[in-house]
Amino acid sequence: MTQGTVFDIEHYAVHDGPGIRTVVFLKGCPLSCSWCCNPESQDPRPELRHTAARCRSCGGCVPACPASAVGTGPGAPRFDRTACSACDSWACVQACDAGALARVGERMTADAVMARVLADREFYANSGGGATFSGGEPLAQPEFLGELLRRCREAGVTTAVETCGHAPETVVGALEPWVDLFLYDLKAVDPERHRALTGCGNERVLSNLRALARRCPEKVTVRVPLVPGLTDDATNLDAIGRLLAELGLLRVELEPYHALGMDKYAAFGRAYTCPAGAASLAPEEARPAAERLGRHGLVCEIAGA
Ligand code: SF4
Ligand code: SF4
């Protein structure tokens, strides 16, 4: 039975494709965007979350850890994430009766995921919805994703895949027939800018986008994250506009920056480094960018507007 690592399954979602949807979040992403609102999505392995607001600093988790990865600090416990082996027992989580510790990410069989997806079939039928596979980067678990997509198709459930496009072309080509909609992130056309923003070049992102534009443009909606100071300048927007016009991919969703994930970083022992900080954009602040892309013939929707 094919298995994969999942960090969340959200029911009744309405922002990740048409209609009412179940969104399955697969864990692990090859990119590392500073504005990512799901820091728990990036590492492919299960992780420990420590919610400081719930922690009573009782120290109960310290002796529980077989790897000596939990130490006492001034006030709250200190977690050495390099020493944490994500042990099978999650002993620290068991020892915490305050609910301050949790395991994020679990191995699931395709059967278990499909049971959750199919539970909401009635809602899909009535709303034109279906299943969305998101992440992290769902294409980073191609066998698991492929089985889920095939089983959705067999069950008559339509599918969407939210992707950054950084995957082998063979993977995208093999899975494309089972996908009804690609929600395809495009952050930058310039490869050096893309590398600076995400830690990766965009050769695969662009070659996969070109291939999908040739084979099935009707299946692609491009999503552009609008991050102040990083992606929202005229040079970047015009480069995106020219490319998408050339490819005939005219349907675009602009995603105004929000800082909703900012507070999660500390719970995973990480710092939030996005220079935009806490200054979320209101949807109307994305209008000038939408107009700029519109000059290239693109039809832009603004998320949340
Ligand atoms: S998950 Fe296991 S190894 Fe990691 S900190 Fe908790 S008890 Fe220690
Ligand atoms: S056991 Fe829970 S409440 Fe006590 S120090 Fe550890 S995380 Fe905090």
Side-chain angles (χ1 to χ4, degrees), residues 50 55-61 77 96 98 100-101:
H50 176 247
C55 179
R56 298 193 297 251
S57 302
C58 68
C61 51
C96 179
L101 292 173

Side-chain angles (χ1 to χ4, degrees), residues 93-295:
V93 177
Q94 306 299 329
C96 179
D97 59 14
L101 292 173
R103 168 193 180 142
V104 177
E106 62 174 312
R107 296 290 288 170
M108 291 184 76
T109 63
D111 273 354
V113 173
M114 287 307 298
R116 300 278 298 274
V117 168
L118 295 178
D120 289 342
R121 279 174 96 160
E122 202 179 308
F123 295 100
Y124 313 147
N126 293 335
S127 68
T132 297
F133 298 96
S134 183
E137 173 48 64
L139 296 175
Q141 298 187 52
E143 286 175 23
F144 185 51
L145 177 63
E147 177 154 352
L148 295 170
L149 290 169
R150 280 191 296 276
R151 290 176 64 169
C152 282
R153 176 67 55 83
E154 284 162 15
V157 174
T158 60
T159 59
V161 169
E162 293 184 327
T163 179
C164 70
H166 185 79
E169 287 179 47
T170 48
V171 166
V172 177
L175 297 183
E176 180 264 306
W178 309 101
V179 179
D180 296 300
L181 175 65
F182 286 94
L183 296 164
Y184 200 108
D185 264 22
L186 184 59
K187 287 108 176 157
V189 175
D190 177 71
E192 287 315 311
R193 182 195 288 243
H194 195 276
R195 187 177 296 282
L197 291 176
T198 70
C200 286
N202 60 0
E203 295 77 11
R204 282 178 161 176
V205 177
L206 297 183
S207 62
N208 281 320
L209 188 60
R210 287 182 188 280
L212 291 175
R214 273 196 309 275
R215 289 202 299 265
C216 53
E218 72 287 354
K219 288 188 182 181
V220 181
T221 295
V222 174
R223 284 179 157 177
V224 178
L226 198 66
V227 187
L230 296 183
T231 66
D232 66 339
D233 56 283
T235 303
N236 193 44
L237 293 172
D238 283 341
I240 289 172
R242 280 193 298 272
L243 174 70
L244 296 183
E246 174 203 325
L247 297 180
L249 298 174
L250 303 183
R251 228 172 39 231
V252 174
E253 287 180 11
L254 267 179
E255 300 197 309
Y257 170 75
H258 66 74
L260 297 177
M262 188 174 174
D263 293 339
K264 287 200 253 175
Y265 277 71
F268 293 93
R270 297 172 51 186
Y272 189 69
T273 59
C274 181
S280 296
L281 288 180
E284 54 270 22
E285 292 179 275
R287 288 253 176 263
E291 284 164 17
R292 186 143 205 126
L293 290 173
R295 284 182 221 153

Side-chain angles (χ1 to χ4, degrees), residues 59 61-63 65 68-80:
C61 51
V62 177
C65 177
S68 302
V70 193
T72 47
R78 283 181 297 107
F79 295 90
D80 179 349

